[in-house]
Amino acid sequence: MQKTIYAEAINEQTNGALTMDAVVKLIEKPKFKSQGDFAFPCFALAKTMRKAPQKIAEELAATIDHPLFEKIVADGPYVNGFLEKQTVSKQIVNAILEAGSSYGSHSFGNGQSITIDFSSPNIAKPFSMGHLRSTVIGNSLAKITEKCGYAAVRINHLGDWGTQFGKLIVAYRLWGNEEKVRQAPIKELLALYVKFHAEAEKEPRLNEEGRLWFKKLEEGNEEANKLWKWFRDESLQEFSKIYALLGVEFDSTAGEAFYNDKMDKALELLAEQKMLSSSQGAEVVDLAEYGLPPLLAKKSDGATLYATRDLAAALYRQEQNQFSKAWYVVGSEQTLHFKQLFLVLQKMGYRWAEEMTHIPFGFVLKDGKKMSTRKGEIVLLEEVLAEAIRLAEENIDEKNPSLKNKQEVAKMVGVGAVIFHDLKNDRQNSIEFSLEHMLRFEGTTGPYVQYTHARACSILRKSSIEISGGSSSGLKDEASWAVAKLLMEFPNIIEKSFLQHEPSAIAKYVLELAQEFNKYYSHVKILADDGELESRLMLVKAVAIVLEEGLRLLGVKAPSEM
């Protein structure tokens, strides 16, 4: 709001030499606090106004006058605005107290649908740390889209089809033990999968057997189908425990197998538009005009592929959800696949395909290396979450042994630490797995932000004044102004995280707000009984609201006591 007012004042004084949008985009945050709250560079005006940027800055600084600003000064080619601290801090705090958790919301989504394809683990394999990234990034993006006025459709496109199931069936028939699998399904199925690959290196014919059994599965063989269904059901039960711990829900768990009867339609549509051509016996869609290799739609043996399945899935989802955007939160190694997929849909004449986006991310590394299910080199997410909760409980026992709901809080802290550790990193970066770093109560961690929120709640409980509404009279000291200015940024951060598909923008923001609030807490006697007590408590309440909402958007809970 304040930024828009500044832009309007500049626009008015320059007779609309630039559009309002252009002015808003040009306004920066000065490098140093002493330079003010907003800086507008005048370079873009030099051509139309036929003056030096420095001269334009001097003229604007002399003519702009607004009660929201304490002063406007020229700083070389920049016009710097200093907000009137008390007035603006009053506006910000009152806006947050009035809006509550809906502060920072936007309505530009207009209720349109966004399908978000995320998590998508392979069945019959354990849910490893490698699956965490897609799951928590996708879950956070779904919450962010809703905060921006969209309807999020959460899709878990399970990997429940493919040659690996033929291999698993072979492994089970050769070495499997039904009782062992029933007792620990995922553990046993992983052991069989790893054993198959180790044995296949010595006996390559096993790979051929795996292909034959997958073909039997595709043809509806009773034994193959029974085993596949059993593997799938057991996996989903295991996954549901992890999703419940992470607080992740889906609107659809239709996996790859769901599209088996929908792929012929996709191939027919390609054939109707004469987009298919033969290449070494296979059917492909040529993408040479885009400088890309062809999309392989049908193999020489008549089998359909991953790409055909994704084409069928996109057509089905558009028909079902009429999405305005479709996001795929899938690792960066699939970049080429999605480029091909989106271009083929655009070539088919579907305008909606222009709003399909691949949202890639880096790996979770262990000792600097990517984890591999095939070699059994993985860290199980369930074990990580259990250990994180246990360590959080130990921490609470040490720091606050009389805490009520200790186990519930330990779960919030332990799980929150794992999620936050992932989301504080730019999603394109790979991250090193470290349980020790995740759970620290200081530094750039989830527990640090949660603890800051609990501290704000504790201050409010200690006060004799009930802050349930009312109107702040504003504060003008530097410590509270630093906090109020950050609170003002929250709506912009939400929009930025949406536009950049980047939950880390919110994670970094709540860390900065927690740090600034802790500085405030250490410099100011918040509960001192003077004329500004109520305004200080209102600022504390505003911080608690924004920290809790910021954490919620990341999929992290905010305990009120720790």
Side-chain angles (χ1 to χ4, degrees), residues 141-186:
L141 287 174
K143 291 175 186 291
I144 292 163
T145 60
E146 288 168 340
K147 186 84 174 168
C148 293
Y150 288 91
V153 181
R154 296 160 168 83
I155 298 171
N156 194 356
H157 187 73
L158 293 165
D160 61 0
W161 205 248
T163 317
Q164 73 264 35
F165 295 103
K167 293 175 180 179
L168 195 57
I169 289 165
V170 171
Y172 179 76
R173 292 179 84 251
L174 285 173
W175 313 295
N177 176 308
E178 185 179 345
E179 196 181 319
K180 273 186 173 181
V181 173
R182 290 201 184 279
Q183 280 174 356
I186 300 292

mmCIF file of all heavy atoms in Angstrom, residues 141-186:
data_model
loop_
_atom_site.group_PDB
_atom_site.id
_atom_site.type_symbol
_atom_site.label_atom_id
_atom_site.label_comp_id
_atom_site.label_asym_id
_atom_site.label_seq_id
_atom_site.Cartn_x
_atom_site.Cartn_y
_atom_site.Cartn_z
ATOM 1 N N LEU A 141 3.568 -24.739 -2.141
ATOM 2 C CA LEU A 141 3.062 -23.993 -3.300
ATOM 3 C C LEU A 141 1.539 -24.041 -3.370
ATOM 4 O O LEU A 141 0.895 -23.064 -3.746
ATOM 5 C CB LEU A 141 3.676 -24.532 -4.597
ATOM 6 C CG LEU A 141 5.149 -24.180 -4.836
ATOM 7 C CD1 LEU A 141 5.684 -24.881 -6.075
ATOM 8 C CD2 LEU A 141 5.361 -22.670 -4.948
ATOM 9 N N ALA A 142 0.955 -25.184 -2.989
ATOM 10 C CA ALA A 142 -0.511 -25.300 -2.989
ATOM 11 C C ALA A 142 -1.110 -24.291 -2.000
ATOM 12 O O ALA A 142 -2.090 -23.610 -2.303
ATOM 13 C CB ALA A 142 -0.926 -26.725 -2.627
ATOM 14 N N LYS A 143 -0.498 -24.172 -0.829
ATOM 15 C CA LYS A 143 -0.989 -23.219 0.181
ATOM 16 C C LYS A 143 -0.803 -21.771 -0.294
ATOM 17 O O LYS A 143 -1.655 -20.916 -0.063
ATOM 18 C CB LYS A 143 -0.263 -23.446 1.516
ATOM 19 C CG LYS A 143 -0.619 -24.767 2.201
ATOM 20 C CD LYS A 143 0.228 -24.975 3.451
ATOM 21 C CE LYS A 143 0.011 -26.346 4.069
ATOM 22 N NZ LYS A 143 -1.322 -26.512 4.664
ATOM 23 N N ILE A 144 0.337 -21.519 -0.942
ATOM 24 C CA ILE A 144 0.621 -20.163 -1.445
ATOM 25 C C ILE A 144 -0.379 -19.782 -2.535
ATOM 26 O O ILE A 144 -0.880 -18.653 -2.566
ATOM 27 C CB ILE A 144 2.081 -20.068 -1.954
ATOM 28 C CG1 ILE A 144 3.061 -20.182 -0.778
ATOM 29 C CG2 ILE A 144 2.321 -18.761 -2.706
ATOM 30 C CD1 ILE A 144 4.499 -20.509 -1.169
ATOM 31 N N THR A 145 -0.697 -20.718 -3.442
ATOM 32 C CA THR A 145 -1.665 -20.413 -4.510
ATOM 33 C C THR A 145 -3.031 -20.071 -3.915
ATOM 34 O O THR A 145 -3.704 -19.154 -4.385
ATOM 35 C CB THR A 145 -1.837 -21.597 -5.501
ATOM 36 O OG1 THR A 145 -2.291 -22.735 -4.798
ATOM 37 C CG2 THR A 145 -0.574 -21.924 -6.234
ATOM 38 N N GLU A 146 -3.420 -20.803 -2.857
ATOM 39 C CA GLU A 146 -4.713 -20.516 -2.207
ATOM 40 C C GLU A 146 -4.682 -19.138 -1.547
ATOM 41 O O GLU A 146 -5.681 -18.418 -1.552
ATOM 42 C CB GLU A 146 -5.023 -21.615 -1.196
ATOM 43 C CG GLU A 146 -5.407 -22.922 -1.870
ATOM 44 C CD GLU A 146 -5.439 -24.128 -0.944
ATOM 45 O OE1 GLU A 146 -4.827 -24.076 0.139
ATOM 46 O OE2 GLU A 146 -6.049 -25.143 -1.324
ATOM 47 N N LYS A 147 -3.534 -18.775 -0.994
ATOM 48 C CA LYS A 147 -3.372 -17.458 -0.361
ATOM 49 C C LYS A 147 -3.521 -16.345 -1.409
ATOM 50 O O LYS A 147 -3.858 -15.211 -1.085
ATOM 51 C CB LYS A 147 -1.983 -17.393 0.300
ATOM 52 C CG LYS A 147 -1.709 -16.155 1.121
ATOM 53 C CD LYS A 147 -2.238 -16.243 2.532
ATOM 54 C CE LYS A 147 -1.833 -15.065 3.382
ATOM 55 N NZ LYS A 147 -2.569 -14.990 4.650
ATOM 56 N N CYS A 148 -3.259 -16.704 -2.683
ATOM 57 C CA CYS A 148 -3.354 -15.725 -3.772
ATOM 58 C C CYS A 148 -4.688 -15.805 -4.503
ATOM 59 O O CYS A 148 -4.849 -15.205 -5.573
ATOM 60 C CB CYS A 148 -2.192 -15.927 -4.753
ATOM 61 S SG CYS A 148 -0.598 -15.513 -4.020
ATOM 62 N N GLY A 149 -5.640 -16.559 -3.947
ATOM 63 C CA GLY A 149 -6.992 -16.564 -4.504
ATOM 64 C C GLY A 149 -7.278 -17.651 -5.522
ATOM 65 O O GLY A 149 -8.326 -17.633 -6.171
ATOM 66 N N TYR A 150 -6.358 -18.614 -5.686
ATOM 67 C CA TYR A 150 -6.603 -19.742 -6.599
ATOM 68 C C TYR A 150 -7.198 -20.921 -5.839
ATOM 69 O O TYR A 150 -7.121 -20.988 -4.609
ATOM 70 C CB TYR A 150 -5.293 -20.208 -7.247
ATOM 71 C CG TYR A 150 -4.741 -19.267 -8.284
ATOM 72 C CD1 TYR A 150 -3.837 -18.265 -7.927
ATOM 73 C CD2 TYR A 150 -5.106 -19.375 -9.623
ATOM 74 C CE1 TYR A 150 -3.320 -17.393 -8.878
ATOM 75 C CE2 TYR A 150 -4.592 -18.506 -10.580
ATOM 76 C CZ TYR A 150 -3.704 -17.517 -10.203
ATOM 77 O OH TYR A 150 -3.194 -16.666 -11.145
ATOM 78 N N ALA A 151 -7.764 -21.857 -6.577
ATOM 79 C CA ALA A 151 -8.201 -23.139 -6.010
ATOM 80 C C ALA A 151 -7.141 -24.160 -6.396
ATOM 81 O O ALA A 151 -6.941 -24.434 -7.577
ATOM 82 C CB ALA A 151 -9.557 -23.539 -6.582
ATOM 83 N N ALA A 152 -6.424 -24.689 -5.400
ATOM 84 C CA ALA A 152 -5.347 -25.653 -5.684
ATOM 85 C C ALA A 152 -5.919 -27.060 -5.774
ATOM 86 O O ALA A 152 -6.707 -27.469 -4.924
ATOM 87 C CB ALA A 152 -4.293 -25.593 -4.584
ATOM 88 N N VAL A 153 -5.536 -27.782 -6.822
ATOM 89 C CA VAL A 153 -5.914 -29.200 -6.967
ATOM 90 C C VAL A 153 -4.624 -29.995 -6.776
ATOM 91 O O VAL A 153 -3.725 -29.982 -7.613
ATOM 92 C CB VAL A 153 -6.533 -29.495 -8.360
ATOM 93 C CG1 VAL A 153 -6.930 -30.963 -8.469
ATOM 94 C CG2 VAL A 153 -7.729 -28.585 -8.624
ATOM 95 N N ARG A 154 -4.525 -30.675 -5.624
ATOM 96 C CA ARG A 154 -3.294 -31.381 -5.253
ATOM 97 C C ARG A 154 -3.308 -32.799 -5.841
ATOM 98 O O ARG A 154 -4.187 -33.593 -5.493
ATOM 99 C CB ARG A 154 -3.179 -31.442 -3.732
ATOM 100 C CG ARG A 154 -3.030 -30.074 -3.068
ATOM 101 C CD ARG A 154 -3.416 -30.162 -1.589
ATOM 102 N NE ARG A 154 -3.030 -28.982 -0.819
ATOM 103 C CZ ARG A 154 -3.733 -27.859 -0.758
ATOM 104 N NH1 ARG A 154 -4.875 -27.751 -1.422
ATOM 105 N NH2 ARG A 154 -3.315 -26.830 -0.027
ATOM 106 N N ILE A 155 -2.335 -33.104 -6.677
ATOM 107 C CA ILE A 155 -2.308 -34.400 -7.376
ATOM 108 C C ILE A 155 -1.042 -35.178 -7.026
ATOM 109 O O ILE A 155 0.068 -34.671 -7.179
ATOM 110 C CB ILE A 155 -2.379 -34.201 -8.912
ATOM 111 C CG1 ILE A 155 -3.706 -33.506 -9.291
ATOM 112 C CG2 ILE A 155 -2.239 -35.530 -9.654
ATOM 113 C CD1 ILE A 155 -3.790 -33.056 -10.738
ATOM 114 N N ASN A 156 -1.230 -36.406 -6.555
ATOM 115 C CA ASN A 156 -0.111 -37.314 -6.276
ATOM 116 C C ASN A 156 -0.085 -38.363 -7.390
ATOM 117 O O ASN A 156 -0.793 -39.363 -7.341
ATOM 118 C CB ASN A 156 -0.305 -37.982 -4.909
ATOM 119 C CG ASN A 156 0.959 -38.671 -4.417
ATOM 120 O OD1 ASN A 156 1.970 -38.714 -5.114
ATOM 121 N ND2 ASN A 156 0.899 -39.204 -3.221
ATOM 122 N N HIS A 157 0.700 -38.095 -8.427
ATOM 123 C CA HIS A 157 0.778 -38.950 -9.615
ATOM 124 C C HIS A 157 1.723 -40.115 -9.300
ATOM 125 O O HIS A 157 2.892 -40.117 -9.660
ATOM 126 C CB HIS A 157 1.287 -38.114 -10.796
ATOM 127 C CG HIS A 157 1.271 -38.810 -12.110
ATOM 128 N ND1 HIS A 157 0.114 -39.070 -12.798
ATOM 129 C CD2 HIS A 157 2.279 -39.298 -12.882
ATOM 130 C CE1 HIS A 157 0.412 -39.677 -13.941
ATOM 131 N NE2 HIS A 157 1.725 -39.833 -14.009
ATOM 132 N N LEU A 158 1.202 -41.108 -8.590
ATOM 133 C CA LEU A 158 2.020 -42.217 -8.086
ATOM 134 C C LEU A 158 2.710 -42.990 -9.209
ATOM 135 O O LEU A 158 2.109 -43.259 -10.250
ATOM 136 C CB LEU A 158 1.155 -43.200 -7.286
ATOM 137 C CG LEU A 158 0.571 -42.679 -5.969
ATOM 138 C CD1 LEU A 158 -0.521 -43.614 -5.493
ATOM 139 C CD2 LEU A 158 1.658 -42.558 -4.910
ATOM 140 N N GLY A 159 3.956 -43.359 -8.958
ATOM 141 C CA GLY A 159 4.683 -44.208 -9.913
ATOM 142 C C GLY A 159 4.292 -45.651 -9.674
ATOM 143 O O GLY A 159 4.962 -46.376 -8.927
ATOM 144 N N ASP A 160 3.158 -46.067 -10.247
ATOM 145 C CA ASP A 160 2.648 -47.420 -9.965
ATOM 146 C C ASP A 160 2.586 -48.285 -11.229
ATOM 147 O O ASP A 160 1.782 -49.201 -11.328
ATOM 148 C CB ASP A 160 1.268 -47.343 -9.291
ATOM 149 C CG ASP A 160 0.217 -46.659 -10.161
ATOM 150 O OD1 ASP A 160 0.553 -46.242 -11.286
ATOM 151 O OD2 ASP A 160 -0.940 -46.545 -9.714
ATOM 152 N N TRP A 161 3.431 -47.970 -12.218
ATOM 153 C CA TRP A 161 3.422 -48.738 -13.465
ATOM 154 C C TRP A 161 4.809 -48.696 -14.074
ATOM 155 O O TRP A 161 5.574 -47.777 -13.788
ATOM 156 C CB TRP A 161 2.390 -48.166 -14.438
ATOM 157 C CG TRP A 161 1.872 -49.159 -15.449
ATOM 158 C CD1 TRP A 161 2.097 -49.154 -16.799
ATOM 159 C CD2 TRP A 161 1.049 -50.288 -15.195
ATOM 160 N NE1 TRP A 161 1.467 -50.219 -17.395
ATOM 161 C CE2 TRP A 161 0.804 -50.936 -16.438
ATOM 162 C CE3 TRP A 161 0.499 -50.843 -14.041
ATOM 163 C CZ2 TRP A 161 0.039 -52.091 -16.558
ATOM 164 C CZ3 TRP A 161 -0.267 -51.994 -14.150
ATOM 165 C CH2 TRP A 161 -0.500 -52.608 -15.395
ATOM 166 N N GLY A 162 5.150 -49.681 -14.880
ATOM 167 C CA GLY A 162 6.445 -49.668 -15.565
ATOM 168 C C GLY A 162 7.214 -50.956 -15.379
ATOM 169 O O GLY A 162 6.834 -51.818 -14.582
ATOM 170 N N THR A 163 8.307 -51.079 -16.113
ATOM 171 C CA THR A 163 9.108 -52.310 -16.128
ATOM 172 C C THR A 163 9.587 -52.717 -14.739
ATOM 173 O O THR A 163 9.781 -53.896 -14.469
ATOM 174 C CB THR A 163 10.347 -52.119 -17.052
ATOM 175 O OG1 THR A 163 9.929 -51.448 -18.227
ATOM 176 C CG2 THR A 163 10.978 -53.429 -17.428
ATOM 177 N N GLN A 164 9.792 -51.719 -13.841
ATOM 178 C CA GLN A 164 10.301 -52.083 -12.507
ATOM 179 C C GLN A 164 9.372 -53.044 -11.778
ATOM 180 O O GLN A 164 9.797 -53.812 -10.926
ATOM 181 C CB GLN A 164 10.583 -50.837 -11.659
ATOM 182 C CG GLN A 164 9.393 -50.087 -11.123
ATOM 183 C CD GLN A 164 9.029 -48.914 -12.015
ATOM 184 O OE1 GLN A 164 9.166 -48.986 -13.235
ATOM 185 N NE2 GLN A 164 8.540 -47.844 -11.428
ATOM 186 N N PHE A 165 8.059 -53.005 -12.137
ATOM 187 C CA PHE A 165 7.130 -53.916 -11.459
ATOM 188 C C PHE A 165 7.274 -55.339 -11.983
ATOM 189 O O PHE A 165 7.061 -56.302 -11.250
ATOM 190 C CB PHE A 165 5.693 -53.390 -11.563
ATOM 191 C CG PHE A 165 5.552 -52.100 -10.822
ATOM 192 C CD1 PHE A 165 5.501 -50.895 -11.486
ATOM 193 C CD2 PHE A 165 5.583 -52.083 -9.441
ATOM 194 C CE1 PHE A 165 5.462 -49.699 -10.795
ATOM 195 C CE2 PHE A 165 5.541 -50.893 -8.730
ATOM 196 C CZ PHE A 165 5.481 -49.707 -9.413
ATOM 197 N N GLY A 166 7.666 -55.467 -13.248
ATOM 198 C CA GLY A 166 8.001 -56.789 -13.782
ATOM 199 C C GLY A 166 9.203 -57.338 -13.039
ATOM 200 O O GLY A 166 9.237 -58.517 -12.638
ATOM 201 N N LYS A 167 10.204 -56.486 -12.795
ATOM 202 C CA LYS A 167 11.419 -56.896 -12.079
ATOM 203 C C LYS A 167 11.096 -57.314 -10.645
ATOM 204 O O LYS A 167 11.618 -58.294 -10.129
ATOM 205 C CB LYS A 167 12.437 -55.747 -12.068
ATOM 206 C CG LYS A 167 12.990 -55.403 -13.447
ATOM 207 C CD LYS A 167 13.901 -54.182 -13.381
ATOM 208 C CE LYS A 167 14.454 -53.853 -14.767
ATOM 209 N NZ LYS A 167 15.326 -52.662 -14.732
ATOM 210 N N LEU A 168 10.215 -56.551 -10.014
ATOM 211 C CA LEU A 168 9.849 -56.844 -8.630
ATOM 212 C C LEU A 168 9.079 -58.159 -8.529
ATOM 213 O O LEU A 168 9.270 -58.938 -7.591
ATOM 214 C CB LEU A 168 9.019 -55.685 -8.066
ATOM 215 C CG LEU A 168 8.849 -55.630 -6.551
ATOM 216 C CD1 LEU A 168 10.187 -55.588 -5.833
ATOM 217 C CD2 LEU A 168 8.034 -54.413 -6.153
ATOM 218 N N ILE A 169 8.218 -58.396 -9.509
ATOM 219 C CA ILE A 169 7.456 -59.660 -9.531
ATOM 220 C C ILE A 169 8.429 -60.834 -9.668
ATOM 221 O O ILE A 169 8.313 -61.841 -8.957
ATOM 222 C CB ILE A 169 6.402 -59.646 -10.666
ATOM 223 C CG1 ILE A 169 5.262 -58.671 -10.304
ATOM 224 C CG2 ILE A 169 5.835 -61.046 -10.925
ATOM 225 C CD1 ILE A 169 4.343 -58.294 -11.470
ATOM 226 N N VAL A 170 9.416 -60.710 -10.563
ATOM 227 C CA VAL A 170 10.426 -61.760 -10.741
ATOM 228 C C VAL A 170 11.173 -61.982 -9.422
ATOM 229 O O VAL A 170 11.346 -63.117 -8.975
ATOM 230 C CB VAL A 170 11.429 -61.392 -11.869
ATOM 231 C CG1 VAL A 170 12.608 -62.363 -11.903
ATOM 232 C CG2 VAL A 170 10.734 -61.381 -13.222
ATOM 233 N N ALA A 171 11.610 -60.870 -8.783
ATOM 234 C CA ALA A 171 12.359 -60.965 -7.522
ATOM 235 C C ALA A 171 11.523 -61.652 -6.443
ATOM 236 O O ALA A 171 12.018 -62.522 -5.711
ATOM 237 C CB ALA A 171 12.772 -59.567 -7.061
ATOM 238 N N TYR A 172 10.238 -61.284 -6.354
ATOM 239 C CA TYR A 172 9.370 -61.886 -5.335
ATOM 240 C C TYR A 172 9.183 -63.380 -5.591
ATOM 241 O O TYR A 172 9.233 -64.192 -4.664
ATOM 242 C CB TYR A 172 8.015 -61.173 -5.307
ATOM 243 C CG TYR A 172 7.075 -61.782 -4.285
ATOM 244 C CD1 TYR A 172 7.248 -61.519 -2.924
ATOM 245 C CD2 TYR A 172 6.054 -62.648 -4.668
ATOM 246 C CE1 TYR A 172 6.416 -62.093 -1.975
ATOM 247 C CE2 TYR A 172 5.219 -63.225 -3.726
ATOM 248 C CZ TYR A 172 5.401 -62.954 -2.382
ATOM 249 O OH TYR A 172 4.593 -63.537 -1.440
ATOM 250 N N ARG A 173 8.991 -63.750 -6.859
ATOM 251 C CA ARG A 173 8.767 -65.157 -7.201
ATOM 252 C C ARG A 173 10.023 -65.995 -6.932
ATOM 253 O O ARG A 173 9.938 -67.163 -6.589
ATOM 254 C CB ARG A 173 8.337 -65.292 -8.663
ATOM 255 C CG ARG A 173 6.942 -64.702 -8.921
ATOM 256 C CD ARG A 173 6.519 -64.801 -10.366
ATOM 257 N NE ARG A 173 5.939 -66.122 -10.653
ATOM 258 C CZ ARG A 173 6.532 -67.053 -11.383
ATOM 259 N NH1 ARG A 173 7.709 -66.820 -11.916
ATOM 260 N NH2 ARG A 173 5.950 -68.215 -11.606
ATOM 261 N N LEU A 174 11.204 -65.380 -7.089
ATOM 262 C CA LEU A 174 12.461 -66.111 -6.879
ATOM 263 C C LEU A 174 12.867 -66.183 -5.405
ATOM 264 O O LEU A 174 13.273 -67.238 -4.917
ATOM 265 C CB LEU A 174 13.597 -65.451 -7.674
ATOM 266 C CG LEU A 174 13.619 -65.677 -9.185
ATOM 267 C CD1 LEU A 174 14.693 -64.809 -9.834
ATOM 268 C CD2 LEU A 174 13.886 -67.148 -9.514
ATOM 269 N N TRP A 175 12.772 -65.052 -4.719
ATOM 270 C CA TRP A 175 13.344 -64.984 -3.362
ATOM 271 C C TRP A 175 12.365 -64.493 -2.289
ATOM 272 O O TRP A 175 12.738 -64.390 -1.121
ATOM 273 C CB TRP A 175 14.568 -64.044 -3.359
ATOM 274 C CG TRP A 175 15.523 -64.286 -4.470
ATOM 275 C CD1 TRP A 175 16.279 -65.425 -4.669
ATOM 276 C CD2 TRP A 175 15.855 -63.389 -5.552
ATOM 277 N NE1 TRP A 175 17.043 -65.280 -5.808
ATOM 278 C CE2 TRP A 175 16.820 -64.044 -6.363
ATOM 279 C CE3 TRP A 175 15.445 -62.107 -5.911
ATOM 280 C CZ2 TRP A 175 17.356 -63.464 -7.508
ATOM 281 C CZ3 TRP A 175 15.983 -61.515 -7.051
ATOM 282 C CH2 TRP A 175 16.918 -62.192 -7.850
ATOM 283 N N GLY A 176 11.158 -64.150 -2.678
ATOM 284 C CA GLY A 176 10.220 -63.523 -1.729
ATOM 285 C C GLY A 176 9.636 -64.479 -0.704
ATOM 286 O O GLY A 176 9.534 -65.684 -0.931
ATOM 287 N N ASN A 177 9.267 -63.888 0.430
ATOM 288 C CA ASN A 177 8.627 -64.651 1.505
ATOM 289 C C ASN A 177 7.373 -63.866 1.912
ATOM 290 O O ASN A 177 7.476 -62.739 2.414
ATOM 291 C CB ASN A 177 9.608 -64.787 2.689
ATOM 292 C CG ASN A 177 8.996 -65.492 3.884
ATOM 293 O OD1 ASN A 177 7.923 -65.131 4.356
ATOM 294 N ND2 ASN A 177 9.711 -66.499 4.384
ATOM 295 N N GLU A 178 6.194 -64.460 1.676
ATOM 296 C CA GLU A 178 4.928 -63.734 1.891
ATOM 297 C C GLU A 178 4.802 -63.197 3.309
ATOM 298 O O GLU A 178 4.415 -62.045 3.520
ATOM 299 C CB GLU A 178 3.737 -64.647 1.561
ATOM 300 C CG GLU A 178 2.420 -63.889 1.652
ATOM 301 C CD GLU A 178 1.209 -64.753 1.309
ATOM 302 O OE1 GLU A 178 1.381 -65.839 0.742
ATOM 303 O OE2 GLU A 178 0.091 -64.310 1.632
ATOM 304 N N GLU A 179 5.163 -64.035 4.290
ATOM 305 C CA GLU A 179 5.013 -63.616 5.688
ATOM 306 C C GLU A 179 5.907 -62.403 6.003
ATOM 307 O O GLU A 179 5.474 -61.444 6.635
ATOM 308 C CB GLU A 179 5.381 -64.794 6.602
ATOM 309 C CG GLU A 179 4.876 -64.590 8.034
ATOM 310 C CD GLU A 179 5.279 -65.760 8.932
ATOM 311 O OE1 GLU A 179 5.202 -66.926 8.487
ATOM 312 O OE2 GLU A 179 5.683 -65.472 10.067
ATOM 313 N N LYS A 180 7.150 -62.470 5.505
ATOM 314 C CA LYS A 180 8.090 -61.357 5.728
ATOM 315 C C LYS A 180 7.571 -60.073 5.092
ATOM 316 O O LYS A 180 7.657 -58.993 5.674
ATOM 317 C CB LYS A 180 9.458 -61.702 5.125
ATOM 318 C CG LYS A 180 10.370 -62.474 6.043
ATOM 319 C CD LYS A 180 11.731 -62.598 5.371
ATOM 320 C CE LYS A 180 12.756 -63.214 6.315
ATOM 321 N NZ LYS A 180 14.071 -63.312 5.640
ATOM 322 N N VAL A 181 7.030 -60.183 3.869
ATOM 323 C CA VAL A 181 6.522 -58.998 3.166
ATOM 324 C C VAL A 181 5.333 -58.414 3.920
ATOM 325 O O VAL A 181 5.204 -57.195 4.043
ATOM 326 C CB VAL A 181 6.162 -59.324 1.697
ATOM 327 C CG1 VAL A 181 5.472 -58.143 1.026
ATOM 328 C CG2 VAL A 181 7.413 -59.697 0.899
ATOM 329 N N ARG A 182 4.473 -59.278 4.440
ATOM 330 C CA ARG A 182 3.296 -58.782 5.178
ATOM 331 C C ARG A 182 3.707 -58.060 6.457
ATOM 332 O O ARG A 182 3.078 -57.102 6.871
ATOM 333 C CB ARG A 182 2.334 -59.934 5.503
ATOM 334 C CG ARG A 182 1.634 -60.463 4.264
ATOM 335 C CD ARG A 182 0.347 -61.210 4.574
ATOM 336 N NE ARG A 182 -0.226 -61.758 3.362
ATOM 337 C CZ ARG A 182 -0.960 -61.075 2.484
ATOM 338 N NH1 ARG A 182 -1.198 -59.791 2.695
ATOM 339 N NH2 ARG A 182 -1.442 -61.661 1.414
ATOM 340 N N GLN A 183 4.776 -58.539 7.097
ATOM 341 C CA GLN A 183 5.234 -57.933 8.355
ATOM 342 C C GLN A 183 5.894 -56.567 8.125
ATOM 343 O O GLN A 183 5.676 -55.632 8.897
ATOM 344 C CB GLN A 183 6.236 -58.871 9.047
ATOM 345 C CG GLN A 183 5.551 -60.000 9.798
ATOM 346 C CD GLN A 183 6.557 -61.000 10.358
ATOM 347 O OE1 GLN A 183 7.757 -60.893 10.120
ATOM 348 N NE2 GLN A 183 6.073 -61.993 11.085
ATOM 349 N N ALA A 184 6.732 -56.469 7.091
ATOM 350 C CA ALA A 184 7.435 -55.202 6.800
ATOM 351 C C ALA A 184 7.471 -55.012 5.288
ATOM 352 O O ALA A 184 8.510 -55.216 4.652
ATOM 353 C CB ALA A 184 8.836 -55.241 7.387
ATOM 354 N N PRO A 185 6.309 -54.656 4.702
ATOM 355 C CA PRO A 185 6.204 -54.643 3.238
ATOM 356 C C PRO A 185 7.261 -53.825 2.515
ATOM 357 O O PRO A 185 7.967 -54.332 1.645
ATOM 358 C CB PRO A 185 4.794 -54.095 2.969
ATOM 359 C CG PRO A 185 4.287 -53.572 4.260
ATOM 360 C CD PRO A 185 5.033 -54.252 5.331
ATOM 361 N N ILE A 186 7.412 -52.559 2.875
ATOM 362 C CA ILE A 186 8.318 -51.693 2.115
ATOM 363 C C ILE A 186 9.768 -52.131 2.282
ATOM 364 O O ILE A 186 10.531 -52.192 1.318
ATOM 365 C CB ILE A 186 8.145 -50.215 2.549
ATOM 366 C CG1 ILE A 186 6.707 -49.751 2.299
ATOM 367 C CG2 ILE A 186 9.112 -49.322 1.812
ATOM 368 C CD1 ILE A 186 6.295 -49.643 0.846
#
